[in-house]
Amino acid sequence: MSDPVFFPRSAGLAVADLAAHVGIKSVRGDEALVLTGVAPLDEAGAADLSFIDNPRYLEMLASTRAGAVICAAKDAERVPPSSVALVSGAPYRSFALATSMLY
């Protein structure tokens, strides 16, 4: 998703720090995980942050390899156990704020 020429990999940010700065109150998973980039659900890897805010992408959520996924409370149980679920009242807004922190 992100071109390394324009968006080089971040030095990294722990999930707990990212959640605190973005205002996410509920985290399910490893809060010490360090994220270094963002990617769509279907392209994300273990150090990437992704998000879901549209039910048409639930199939991609089921198979994502993202390190963390920002989602609404209704989708939190659908986040795979290998990913950290960051529950937000406004996933798209939270993802935009998180992206600005990583880059």
Side-chain angles (χ1 to χ4, degrees), residues 61-102:
L61 176 61
S63 62
T64 192
R65 294 179 310 183
V69 178
I70 297 175
C71 63
K74 66 181 175 57
D75 296 322
E77 292 303 317
R78 296 176 187 237
V79 174
S82 59
S83 300
V84 177
L86 300 167
V87 181
S88 170
Y92 189 83
R93 181 179 186 282
S94 294
F95 182 73
L97 292 170
T99 299
S100 70
M101 292 181 64
L102 284 166

Side-chain angles (χ1 to χ4, degrees), residues 35-82:
L35 301 170
T36 60
V38 298
L41 289 167
D42 61 339
E43 295 178 20
D48 289 323
L49 174 68
S50 195
F51 84 106
I52 185 163
D53 196 27
N54 188 321
R56 96 176 99 176
Y57 299 110
L58 287 173
E59 188 175 312
M60 284 185 201
L61 176 61
S63 62
T64 192
R65 294 179 310 183
V69 178
I70 297 175
C71 63
K74 66 181 175 57
D75 296 322
E77 292 303 317
R78 296 176 187 237
V79 174
S82 59

Side-chain angles (χ1 to χ4, degrees), residues 9-27:
R9 281 286 204 206
S10 165
L13 189 61
V15 167
D17 294 332
L18 182 121
H21 289 310
V22 174
I24 291 173
K25 305 258 189 275
S26 177
V27 178

